[in-house]
Amino acid sequence: FVLQHARALNLSGCVRNKKDGHVEVIAEGDEEALSNLLTYLRKGPPRSKVTFVDETWESYTDEFEGFDVAF
């Protein structure tokens, strides 16, 4: 879900499932695209239950090339 939307928005970064059940997303790109991704994250995929989205905005680092799943 995150991978699909982040790539469609031309964002760079990664997503990973954490052992505690949370999902961590690091994304870089256009501010409007990042805001759109946050909208998708707050809604979540069908049949999911999103209870909280914690967001932190930081300076652009250009450390990612494309958007992938991190392990």
Side-chain angles (χ1 to χ4, degrees):
F1 175 84
V2 176
L3 186 68
Q4 174 187 353
H5 287 291
R7 285 181 173 172
L9 293 166
N10 294 316
L11 295 173
S12 298
C14 61
V15 59
R16 72 178 176 132
N17 293 324
K18 298 178 73 173
K19 291 181 182 183
D20 63 5
H22 291 92
V23 176
E24 180 179 57
V25 178
I26 301 171
E28 294 185 334
D30 177 77
E31 187 174 341
E32 183 177 350
L34 291 167
S35 293
N36 287 335
L37 180 62
L38 276 170
T39 299
Y40 290 122
L41 295 177
R42 288 184 179 108
K43 183 177 178 184
R47 298 183 304 274
S48 71
K49 181 180 178 185
V50 177
T51 57
F52 182 73
V53 174
D54 183 19
E55 64 181 90
T56 303
W57 292 78
E58 298 180 5
S59 297
Y60 179 76
T61 64
D62 194 29
E63 73 178 274
F64 299 98
E65 189 172 318
F67 201 95
D68 290 305
V69 175
F71 296 98

